[in-house]
Amino acid sequence: MVAISIASIAESYKKRKYPNHFISKLTDAEMENAETQAWLDASLACKYITDEKFLELNKQSEEISYLLIYMMNNPEKFQ
């Protein structure tokens, strides 16, 4: 999921001159990030990761989400 999200961000940046396409690809990346968050929840529930590791990774995922949302709301800043 993370690799797909990174690929979507890279594709969006290449299309930054076309705001609608840029936003569309960023939306794809945000959906992949949400899926990663769901897998983190499942991993914690199944005890595959510790609470500490979950908090660390979930915080990073939330930061990525905030950045993606900022980019989607401000596409003109990335042209």
Side-chain angles (χ1 to χ4, degrees):
M1 272 77 38
V2 174
I4 295 170
S5 183
I6 292 169
S8 293
I9 294 169
E11 289 176 14
S12 71
Y13 193 73
K14 293 290 186 180
K15 298 289 185 174
R16 67 190 181 276
K17 292 183 181 181
Y18 310 100
N20 290 338
H21 197 78
F22 179 67
I23 293 168
S24 175
K25 287 296 184 182
L26 290 172
T27 300
D28 292 345
E30 176 56 15
M31 290 185 326
E32 293 297 335
N33 189 48
E35 187 175 348
T36 297
Q37 289 175 325
W39 281 115
L40 287 172
D41 291 337
S43 296
L44 180 64
C46 293
K47 306 288 186 206
Y48 294 139
I49 59 175
T50 64
D51 289 342
E52 294 79 18
K53 184 54 104 175
F54 171 82
L55 292 173
E56 174 191 342
L57 295 172
N58 194 59
K59 181 180 179 188
Q60 291 175 4
S61 183
E62 286 179 357
E63 289 174 8
I64 291 167
S65 182
Y66 294 139
L67 292 170
L68 290 169
I69 291 169
Y70 177 81
M71 292 172 76
M72 286 185 273
N73 289 335
N74 300 281
E76 70 282 352
K77 293 186 178 192
F78 300 92
Q79 290 183 349

